[in-house]
Amino acid sequence: MSRPYIARIDGEKLHRRTFDVLVLGGGIAGLTAAISAARRWRVGLLTKAGFDDTATFLAQGGIAAALGESDSPDLHFEDTVKAGAGLCDEKAVRVLVDEGPDRVRELMEVCPHFDRVDGEIVLGREGAHSVARVVHAGGDATGSEVSSALAEAARLGSRVQLYEDEFVIDLLTLDGRCVGALSMSLDDGQLTLNTAMVTVLATGGAGQVYGRTTNPTVATGDGIAMAYRAGAAIRDLEFVQFHPTGLAVEGQETVLLITEALRGEGAYLRNEAGERFMVGKDPRAELAARDVVVRAMVAEMRREKSDHVYLDARHLDAEMLAQRFPTVSAGLAQHGLHLATDLIPVAPVCHYFIGGVMTDVWGRSTVPGLYASGECSSTGVHGANRLASNSLLEGLVFSDRVVRDLDRYIGSLGEDVRRLRFALPESAPAAQDGADAAAARRALTATMLQWAGVVRDGNGLKVAIRELRRLNSELAFGRMGVAEYETLNLLTLGTQIAKSALLREESRGVHLREDFPTRDDERWRRHITLRLPPAQREGPA
Ligand code: SIN
C-alpha cells in the first residue's frame, strides 16, 4: 500500500463504519470528548484495550485546579509557567487554569467519589504547587475512580458507539484532510475502515519507548506516530518526563509509581547514607519541581554508585498512610515492602510525554479534520516540565474545547466531504522472511535507556540515532500484527525523540544534556517542531 500508510492488506475484505466524529483512545481525554460530542453527533470511540488499561486508570496523584479559597487561576498559572522552564505557551496555560475549575466541577457530577471531609473537597499538595490544589478520589486511586465513572457514563448514559480491543493502524487522509482511521479487531483480526468528518486523537503517550515506565503496556505512541505519517506537525519530543519516584525493584511489567502526593504529605528522600539530600538544594526540598528532584537524585545515585535512593515515610502516621495511599500500599506489599516501616527504593522512571501532536488552543492539529487531546497532544501547557496533576486536567479542558469547535469545523465542510467514500490503495507485497518484532523492540528500549534517557549527550544521541536507523532499515516484516505495527510506531517515536534531543543544545526542564549543562534562552527559548516533508513519506521512521 502506498504511503503514508503502514497497514498491509493482503486481499482481506474490509468492514466499513461511518461516524461524524471518530475518537481514538479510552482515557480521560477520549471519553470526555466522546461523551460530550455524542450529545449532538454520531460518535464512535475505538480503544486499543479496555478502559481500565489506560494511563488515566493508573493515575494516582489527582487533578490540579484552583478550587480552594486560598487559590486562584492566577496562582495556578504562575506555578505552571514557572515549572515549565520558559517554554509554556501562556495562552494555552490561561485556558487550562481558567476553564479547569468548571471542568473539574462537571467531572464531579459524573464521578461522585472525590475525597471529602465534612462535605468539603480535600485538596492535596504536590511538587511545585504553591498551595494545596489537587483533588483526588479513593486516596491514590483517582485514575481508576475517574476512568470507571466515565466509562460507565459512556456505556450507559450516552449514544457513543464503543469498540474496545480495536487497534488503530493508520489515519486515513484524502486531499490533505483526515477522514478517519483504519483499525484492526484484536479478537479476530478484522480490518475496518472507519470514516468520519472529524477524528480526535486521544491515544496517550509512549512510555514503552523506554521499556521501563509507569505507563501501561499499551502506551506505544501509536497516535503520535500515525499523525506524523499523516503529515501532522509534532512538537517537543525531547521533553520526556521521568518521575522521581518509580519503585526501583526488578520484575515489574509496569513500574509501580510511588505518587508525589506522598512527598506532599511529608515523606522524605534519603540517600544511602540516610541524608535528606534535597534539603539545601531547593527551598521546597522534596517538593521542588520534578526536574529539579530528578537532577538531584541522579547526582546522588552517581556519587554513591547506586541505582536508587530511598523514599522515607516511616515518620508519618501509619493509619493515614494506609487510608490515603491504598494503591501504593497494595503495590508495595507485593514486593514485601510497607510504607510505615520500610525505606522504599526509588529511581526516576519514564512517566509522561510532554511532546506530541502540535495543536492550537482548540485542539486542532495542522491536518484539517484531525484534533488531538491529552498526552498525545502538544498544546504547550507543560512547557519543558509538566507540573504534577496538570495532565488529567489538560485532557478534560482541551477535549471540551475540541467538542466546542466541532460545529464550526463540520459546518465548514462541503457535501463531498460529508458523504465521503474512501478506498485504500493496494499494499506492497510482504517480505519473504519476517523480522523479529520482539528483538527489535528490546534493542530499541535498551538503546533509548542507555543513550536518550534521563541524562543525554551529543555523542550518545548520535549513537542512538544510528542504531535506530539500522533497526529500522532491517525491519521487513512478513506477517503484520499488533507487535509489528507497535514496533514501527515505537521506532518512529524513538528516532524523533533522539533527533530532537540532539538538536536542543542546552539543558532545560526535563531535558538534561551533560555536554550542554545550562539553559540557553538566547538560542533555545523555542520549540522543536518536526513535520515529515511530503517527499520523505517513504518509511516508517
Ligand atoms: C503522581 O501521582 O506523582 C503523578 C501525578 C502526575 O504525574 O501528575
Side-chain angles (χ1 to χ4, degrees):
M1 195 161 62
S2 69
R3 314 297 177 198
Y5 305 121
I6 56 170
R8 183 163 320 123
I9 298 168
D10 297 321
E12 298 104 317
K13 192 162 168 10
L14 297 182
H15 276 178
R16 281 179 185 270
R17 303 184 192 120
T18 305
F19 307 103
D20 297 325
V21 179
L22 176 66
V23 177
L24 308 179
I28 193 168
L31 283 165
T32 302
I35 293 168
S36 170
R39 296 191 186 114
R40 166 106 205 255
W41 309 101
R42 277 178 311 158
V43 177
L45 183 152
L46 313 186
T47 181
K48 184 174 173 182
F51 294 107
D52 54 359
D53 215 343
T54 62
T56 299
F57 191 89
L58 294 180
Q60 295 178 7
I63 310 181
L67 294 167
E69 272 175 19
S70 57
D71 201 0
S72 69
D74 284 351
L75 216 48
H76 192 184
F77 177 91
E78 262 174 44
D79 291 345
T80 301
V81 168
K82 196 164 163 201
L87 268 198
C88 288
D89 175 335
E90 296 196 359
K91 191 171 159 204
V93 178
R94 260 279 146 228
V95 165
L96 181 83
V97 300
D98 286 349
E99 298 184 12
D102 280 347
R103 296 296 85 78
V104 171
R105 283 188 203 101
E106 287 159 15
L107 179 67
M108 285 173 176
E109 284 168 25
V110 182
C111 175
H113 300 128
F114 280 92
D115 294 335
R116 292 175 186 270
V117 170
D118 299 331
E120 290 297 313
I121 196 80
V122 179
L123 297 170
R125 190 95 205 245
E126 289 184 20
H129 287 276
S130 54
V131 296
R133 68 159 66 94
V134 180
V135 296
H136 43 84
D140 60 2
T142 310
S144 58
E145 292 287 352
V146 166
S147 283
S148 308
L150 286 173
E152 186 167 302
R155 279 204 182 94
L156 303 177
S158 82
R159 294 181 299 136
V160 182
Q161 294 179 53
L162 300 172
Y163 303 89
E164 291 174 65
D165 299 318
E166 186 89 4
F167 180 75
V168 178
I169 305 172
D170 279 315
L171 294 172
L172 307 173
T173 47
L174 194 62
D175 301 331
R177 198 175 276 283
C178 182
V179 294
L182 176 76
S183 65
M184 176 170 69
S185 159
L186 297 183
D187 291 335
D188 58 10
Q190 174 64 54
L191 294 172
T192 301
L193 272 183
N194 305 272
T195 49
M197 290 185 279
V198 168
T199 302
V200 183
L201 269 187
T203 44
Q208 294 299 334
V209 168
Y210 290 91
R212 269 186 70 74
T213 174
T214 60
N215 293 182
T217 51
V218 291
T220 51
D222 308 317
I224 304 171
M226 70 179 90
Y228 180 66
R229 291 196 294 276
I234 58 175
R235 183 173 66 178
D236 290 345
L237 272 275
E238 68 277 31
F239 296 118
V240 179
Q241 186 169 57
F242 282 71
H243 193 288
T245 52
L247 178 64
V249 300
E250 290 302 317
Q252 313 161 81
E253 196 180 41
T254 289
V255 174
L256 178 69
L257 177 73
I258 315 288
T259 177
E260 194 156 311
L262 258 157
R263 280 175 281 135
E265 293 289 348
Y268 301 142
L269 286 168
R270 294 191 187 278
N271 58 18
E272 289 285 354
E275 295 150 350
R276 278 182 67 197
F277 57 88
M278 284 309 299
V279 175
K281 295 247 166 44
D282 188 287
R284 298 161 295 185
E286 282 87 354
L287 282 178
R290 268 183 202 171
D291 56 336
V292 176
V293 178
V294 165
R295 282 173 204 225
M297 285 172 75
V298 168
E300 238 20 66
M301 285 155 57
R302 283 188 170 170
R303 206 177 48 74
E304 296 190 318
K305 297 193 177 36
S306 173
D307 62 1
H308 60 265
V309 295
Y310 295 99
L311 187 82
D312 185 2
R314 294 171 303 173
H315 54 291
L316 301 178
D317 180 63
E319 203 176 317
M320 180 280 286
L321 289 171
Q323 264 175 17
R324 174 75 176 84
F325 301 103
T327 309
V328 171
S329 301
L332 288 176
Q334 289 181 12
H335 299 276
L337 291 166
H338 302 279
L339 281 174
T341 50
D342 294 316
L343 282 172
I344 310 297
V346 290
V349 60
C350 173
H351 181 57
Y352 186 86
F353 264 66
I354 288 173
V357 178
M358 184 171 94
T359 72
D360 64 10
V361 291
W362 293 100
R364 296 182 281 220
S365 79
T366 54
V367 172
L370 180 65
Y371 290 72
S373 177
E375 191 172 350
C376 69
S377 71
S378 166
T379 58
V381 294
H382 306 307
N385 176 48
R386 179 177 64 87
L387 189 65
S389 289
N390 264 357
S391 51
L392 295 182
L393 184 70
E394 184 191 29
L396 273 181
V397 166
F398 286 91
S399 285
D400 173 74
R401 289 175 76 83
V402 165
V403 175
R404 278 155 57 200
D405 197 55
L406 292 180
D407 262 349
R408 185 205 55 80
Y409 178 73
I410 294 178
S412 74
L413 297 174
E415 271 308 300
D416 51 331
V417 183
R418 289 164 175 259
R419 299 228 174 113
L420 171 88
R421 295 296 295 165
F422 184 87
L424 274 174
E426 287 297 300
S427 297
Q432 291 290 318
D433 298 311
D436 179 351
R441 199 159 153 172
R442 278 194 300 277
L444 163 77
T445 54
T447 302
M448 292 302 289
L449 272 180
Q450 183 169 6
W451 303 116
V454 62
V455 184
R456 300 138 178 204
D457 71 36
N459 289 336
L461 288 165
K462 285 182 197 150
V463 174
I465 292 167
R466 266 203 308 277
E467 176 63 3
L468 298 184
R469 285 209 173 116
R470 184 190 67 75
L471 282 172
N472 203 52
S473 66
E474 287 176 3
L475 284 184
F477 293 122
R479 173 196 162 276
M480 289 299 282
V482 173
E484 287 73 19
Y485 290 127
E486 282 183 343
T487 303
L488 292 177
N489 290 335
L490 286 166
L491 276 169
T492 299
L493 277 246
T495 307
Q496 303 314 331
I497 292 166
K499 276 192 201 162
S500 306
L502 181 63
L503 279 174
R504 183 172 288 282
E505 293 181 331
E506 65 161 352
S507 290
R508 178 188 297 272
V510 300
H511 172 67
L512 299 187
R513 284 278 302 253
E514 277 197 307
D515 46 352
F516 293 96
T518 52
R519 177 167 148 177
D520 180 353
D521 276 348
E522 207 172 306
R523 286 179 66 214
W524 286 109
R525 195 162 181 184
R526 61 191 176 90
H527 297 275
I528 294 175
T529 305
L530 305 169
R531 195 168 182 173
L532 204 56
Q536 281 180 29
R537 292 184 194 165
E538 288 299 317

